[in-house]
Amino acid sequence: MAGYSPLDDPENARFAWARYWQIMRWMALFSTAVVGVVLYVLYLQIGLVSIHLFIASALGVWLTIMLMAALMGLVFLSSGTGHDESIEDRLEDERNR
């Protein structure tokens, strides 16, 4: 059976999720700035071509950074709150033999 997770407490969960969404907002701002730099460099490198290239590049860069931020944020949320330690390790007995 799984142990008690600190995220089961509503106050801890509220604080952890508020911190997670704050990080996501900052990463969205950072990602938007990176997209601006990427689009500027693309314009300098290849000039004015199809608008579809710029839209696809902007979406690709922005979504890639946001996906990385979301997944890493969840890893830090799980580890930082102690949620990782609350699991039951069924293989612990086998490793200690």
Side-chain angles (χ1 to χ4, degrees):
M1 172 139 309
Y4 172 77
S5 170
L7 287 177
D8 291 338
D9 178 27
E11 189 61 33
N12 284 343
R14 189 173 15 263
F15 175 76
W17 283 108
R19 187 175 61 180
Y20 173 79
W21 287 113
Q22 180 184 18
I23 290 170
M24 289 302 292
R25 282 190 294 275
W26 279 108
M27 286 306 296
L29 182 66
F30 172 75
S31 183
T32 303
V34 169
V35 165
V37 171
V38 166
L39 291 179
Y40 180 70
V41 169
L42 271 177
Y43 178 75
L44 290 178
Q45 293 280 327
I46 60 175
L48 190 56
V49 293
S50 173
I51 189 69
H52 299 100
L53 173 82
F54 291 102
I55 292 171
S57 298
L59 283 174
V61 169
W62 196 84
L63 289 173
T64 300
I65 294 173
M66 290 306 294
L67 178 63
M68 179 271 314
L71 293 174
M72 288 304 295
L74 289 173
V75 168
F76 291 136
L77 175 117
S78 179
S79 176
T81 59
H83 184 70
D84 290 348
E85 287 79 29
S86 68
I87 64 161
E88 174 188 0
D89 188 3
R90 295 181 181 173
L91 299 176
E92 185 176 10
D93 294 335
E94 292 181 21
R95 280 187 260 142
N96 291 333
R97 289 183 190 180

